[in-house]
Amino acid sequence: MQLHDELELLRSRIGIVSYGVAAVMGVLIFGFWQLQVVQSAHYADLANKNRIKEIRLVAARGKIYDRNRKLLADNRPSYNIIYTRENSPNTTEQTIAALVNGLGMSAEDLNQKINRKRKDPLYQPITLKEDAGTGDVAFVMAHAYEMPEVSVEYQPRRLYRESQVAAHALGYIGEVSEAQLRDFPDLKPRDLVGIAGLELIYDSVLRGIDGSRRVVVNNSGREIETLSDEVKPIPGHDIYTTLDLDLQKAAEEVIGDRVGAAVVLDPRSGEILALVSKPSFDPNHFASGISFFEYKTLLDNPDKPLVNRAIQSVQPPGSIFKIIEAAAGLESDTVTTLDHVYCRGAETFYGRSFGCWKPAGHGTVDMYQSIVNSCDIYFYNLGKMLGIDKISQFSTMAGLGRKTGVDLPGEEKGLIPSQSWSQRVKRVKWALIETINVSIGQGQIGVTPIQAALAIGGLASGGRLKQPRLVQPQELRRNGFESPDVHSENYTVSENTVEAVAKAMWGVVNDGGTATVARVDGFDVAGKTGTAQVVNKSSYKKGGDNEDHAWFVGFAPYRNPEIVVSVLIEHGGHGGEAAAPVAHAVFDTYYKKKTGHFNAGTAGKVASLMSKRP
């Protein structure tokens, strides 16, 4: 009996074990079936990924040329050192320790670059060093077995041929930001995109389409075979700008180390022949991966070299505004060219005395003499007769106090005040005494150099305003991109008015006026200087931030102008001494090129001499 019970117990245990074994076998068989049948494609794909590596073939960026096909922005061969964390046999700390000496980088810098991308997928490469040298590349390739997670990537690198020349017009490139990745689905991590200037505005034109190449790697990450399904990269499109490199260099050389800007336009088409902002910067530093220290140095520089003063520096125009006011007076029948004012050196308006720049006065002057000699008393009286709203209406119509629509980012609109502006913005009634200040381009008024060029060129052309452009629409359409036509405006201004102000501006340069230095033999240059006060006369001390801003605007020839120049030298002093020489260098270069007498070496010497003038 006892033996029977023991046998039954043994049988039941054996049965339980058998069921258990069967269940385990069932689970295993089901798992193998899942692996081999149901998910075979998935795991085959994973296996391929372990042995097949995709290498990005970076597309070359389109080149940028000036109007004469001189190369401004090019590409050169370059290599990056990249780090891929996925399947790395080493810890991040071990990799950094091995690279510190080999790449000549500090552990802190390497850590910082990796930590910035710590939330990215592990398979996403991280750029450790841009524009690596031959020693860096040799080190990485020599240690490929120990560090398969570190590799070398070829990437065409932007090269700005003229260094700082036209830097604010061209702009610069940099690695795509997280915000750009969210906003533009066609961008990928580590893409290089335009950050400023033309590089930003025309990024979609200049940026190409990357290709790819697939290679077979062994378990150490070494390439052992290249597959035949390579996708070739498609380079970006080249762009031909309206810039004239010779005019650009002439203006930049004369401005030199001073703070300021210059804009050169063809008023017939709106083409920008030169656009200068000083101090400048070298965009090649951004293309090579600018360091945090270098970037902070640029940001902390009190002269703000990253600011494009040609389109962003809003300053009182000083006496160059008298040209716009004179035209407003003639067009509104407020004055005629024959009306006279007696300048005794000072006059009282609304209970306050206003002086002329010439304390002894100019005596009896008409409009021509007042523009040639820049008589303040004449324009105080004209401003009072016009009133702020007529001044504002004509100035705005002429292109001041509003954006020009130039194809560059960050343009400022300036300020042309009016009674309604005062009520809307300042919440106070416009003070009549302020009209007296505005009438000579002082007080609550501000324009940019590009606005000054547009307004003066438009007025001299009979009221025709052409939207300033660095790249013409037909250039974009040639590459298959849609682009709206250049915007044009026409405002009513009589031929008599145009002739009167143009003749007076010719006198400023050629008839003993304030800008004789801008004169060019054989070329009928017309112009107007401006000296805009920064502080009240009672607080003025010569030099530094108290010094007046110097302006010059001019065009040539004075009938049917082909070129207009606007120059601003911040804290430069008198316009005739500081700004007019810049315009002379531009006019002289343009005229010599037009007549076939231009020599780049001679132009450089002339520019150097002009830059040494007081």
Side-chain angles (χ1 to χ4, degrees):
M1 187 66 179
Q2 184 179 358
L3 179 61
H4 179 268
D5 291 341
E6 289 177 354
L7 288 173
E8 287 296 321
L9 180 61
L10 181 60
R11 288 193 189 96
S12 66
R13 289 178 176 175
I14 292 173
I16 293 170
V17 171
S18 298
Y19 286 125
V21 171
V24 171
M25 291 298 293
V27 170
L28 291 173
I29 291 170
F30 178 77
F32 286 135
W33 179 73
Q34 283 284 100
L35 291 171
Q36 297 294 325
V37 180
V38 178
Q39 295 182 306
S40 60
H42 171 69
Y43 287 105
D45 185 51
L46 289 179
N48 275 334
K49 286 182 178 178
N50 284 333
R51 70 184 185 88
I52 296 177
K53 180 180 179 182
E54 186 171 286
I55 298 174
R56 183 174 71 152
L57 302 178
V58 181
R61 197 167 175 84
K63 299 175 182 179
I64 303 177
Y65 296 84
D66 86 336
R67 67 190 301 109
N68 300 310
R69 297 183 176 267
K70 293 179 181 177
L71 195 52
L72 301 176
D74 195 1
N75 299 299
R76 62 178 174 81
S78 173
Y79 296 90
N80 294 335
I81 307 301
I82 62 173
Y83 169 53
T84 308
R85 292 165 292 173
E86 186 180 45
N87 297 330
S88 172
N90 303 307
T91 65
T92 299
E93 290 73 20
Q94 289 172 326
T95 301
I96 289 175
L99 292 176
V100 166
N101 293 326
L103 298 184
M105 299 176 66
S106 68
E108 182 181 3
D109 284 346
L110 290 167
N111 256 315
Q112 191 178 58
K113 289 178 179 290
I114 294 171
N115 287 335
R116 277 205 299 262
K117 304 291 185 180
R118 65 183 182 277
K119 293 183 181 179
D120 290 356
L122 294 177
Y123 62 80
Q124 183 63 55
I126 298 172
T127 303
L128 297 180
K129 190 169 188 177
E130 295 182 90
D131 204 14
T134 53
D136 303 320
V137 174
F139 173 81
V140 171
M141 295 182 71
H143 294 80
Y145 183 80
E146 308 100 277
M147 293 187 297
E149 69 275 18
V150 181
S151 58
V152 176
E153 173 189 67
Y154 172 76
Q155 183 175 61
R157 184 74 51 183
R158 208 53 159 164
L159 174 63
Y160 298 94
R161 291 282 184 180
E162 301 292 337
S163 186
Q164 296 191 13
V165 175
H168 292 87
L170 298 176
Y172 55 88
I173 64 172
E175 189 171 326
V176 62
S177 66
E178 292 183 7
Q180 288 172 311
L181 287 172
R182 289 193 300 268
D183 295 340
F184 301 98
D186 61 318
L187 293 175
K188 301 180 294 297
R190 299 191 310 116
D191 275 351
L192 293 177
V193 297
I195 304 296
L198 293 177
E199 295 277 25
L200 170 60
I201 295 298
Y202 297 108
D203 181 69
S204 60
V205 179
L206 293 164
R207 181 163 36 91
I209 301 174
D210 291 346
S212 62
R213 176 167 58 89
R214 297 199 305 160
V215 297
V216 179
V217 297
N218 60 20
N219 59 358
S220 299
R222 287 175 176 262
E223 298 179 15
I224 57 176
E225 182 185 352
T226 299
L227 301 182
S228 59
D229 56 350
E230 179 177 316
V231 178
K232 298 285 187 183
I234 301 174
H237 295 283
D238 297 341
I239 283 180
Y240 292 87
T241 70
T242 61
L243 290 171
D244 185 309
L245 184 58
D246 298 318
L247 299 182
Q248 182 80 27
K249 285 183 174 180
E252 294 206 17
E253 287 175 6
V254 180
I255 294 178
D257 295 331
R258 294 175 295 175
V259 176
V263 176
V264 183
L265 291 176
D266 182 340
R268 300 166 298 180
S269 63
E271 293 181 351
I272 298 175
L273 306 179
L275 188 139
V276 179
S277 181
K278 289 283 193 169
S280 190
F281 62 92
D282 189 346
N284 288 303
H285 293 169
F286 289 89
S288 299
I290 192 168
S291 69
F292 175 77
F293 175 76
E294 287 178 296
Y295 187 59
K296 189 174 185 303
T297 300
L298 288 172
L299 290 179
D300 293 343
N301 188 325
D303 289 332
K304 302 186 183 305
L306 295 180
V307 171
N308 187 348
R309 285 179 162 80
I311 64 172
Q312 294 177 319
S313 184
V314 178
Q315 303 294 349
S319 292
I320 66 170
F321 187 68
K322 293 172 181 176
I323 299 302
I324 301 298
E325 187 177 338
L330 294 173
E331 284 300 298
S332 63
D333 293 325
T334 303
V335 292
T336 71
T337 56
L338 301 177
D339 290 336
H340 290 76
V341 167
Y342 185 77
C343 171
R344 59 176 54 87
E347 192 166 336
T348 300
F349 298 92
Y350 306 111
R352 176 180 157 189
S353 178
F354 288 81
C356 184
W357 71 267
K358 187 177 181 180
H362 292 95
T364 301
V365 291
D366 59 12
M367 180 176 285
Y368 176 86
Q369 294 162 334
S370 297
I371 291 176
V372 169
N373 298 303
S374 201
C375 176
D376 293 330
I377 300 300
Y378 179 93
F379 286 97
Y380 290 145
N381 282 279
L382 178 55
K384 181 182 178 182
M385 288 188 288
L386 280 169
I388 192 61
D389 283 345
K390 284 185 179 178
I391 294 173
S392 177
Q393 181 182 11
F394 190 86
S395 300
T396 303
M397 187 170 60
L400 300 179
R402 56 192 175 110
K403 294 181 180 180
T404 66
V406 62
D407 48 346
L408 286 174
E411 182 184 10
E412 295 288 344
K413 70 174 186 177
L415 170 63
I416 297 296
S418 64
Q419 292 192 64
S420 60
W421 168 84
S422 184
Q423 292 282 7
R424 185 179 68 255
V425 176
K426 299 184 66 179
R427 307 288 184 183
V428 295
K429 185 178 179 180
W430 175 258
L432 295 179
I433 200 169
E434 283 296 331
T435 305
I436 308 302
N437 281 323
V438 171
S439 66
I440 61 164
Q442 294 286 167
Q444 300 180 79
I445 180 173
V447 304
T448 61
I450 196 169
Q451 286 176 352
L454 176 67
I456 296 301
L459 177 59
S461 301
R464 293 188 297 272
L465 299 177
K466 283 282 190 177
Q467 180 183 5
R469 303 293 290 179
L470 281 160
V471 178
Q472 292 288 41
Q474 58 266 31
E475 166 66 20
L476 300 176
R477 294 177 193 140
R478 184 177 64 83
N479 288 325
F481 293 89
E482 293 184 4
S483 178
D485 290 329
V486 172
H487 179 64
S488 298
E489 289 182 33
N490 293 297
Y491 64 90
T492 303
V493 57
S494 70
E495 291 183 12
N496 289 337
T497 295
V498 174
E499 173 65 19
V501 295
K503 183 178 179 181
M505 292 179 71
W506 181 90
V508 171
V509 177
N510 301 281
D511 190 19
T514 57
T516 55
V517 70
R519 187 172 181 271
V520 175
D521 291 337
F523 202 28
D524 267 336
V525 174
K528 181 72 185 79
T529 59
T531 303
Q533 293 175 10
V534 178
V535 297
N536 293 329
K537 288 187 177 180
S538 59
S539 307
Y540 176 75
K541 293 181 181 179
K542 187 173 177 62
D545 292 343
N546 283 329
E547 190 65 82
D548 299 335
H549 294 324
W551 281 93
F552 176 88
V553 290
F555 52 88
Y558 100 87
R559 288 188 174 92
N560 302 315
E562 303 169 8
I563 178 175
V564 56
V565 181
S566 168
V567 181
L568 165 66
I569 305 297
E570 295 184 15
H571 308 295
H574 295 292
E577 297 174 350
V582 180
H584 169 85
V586 173
F587 286 129
D588 186 62
T589 302
Y590 178 88
Y591 184 60
K592 285 178 178 174
K593 291 188 73 171
K594 181 180 178 180
T595 56
H597 295 92
F598 176 73
N599 180 285
T602 304
K605 292 177 182 178
V606 171
S608 177
L609 290 172
M610 294 300 294
S611 67
K612 294 175 182 178
R613 295 181 70 96

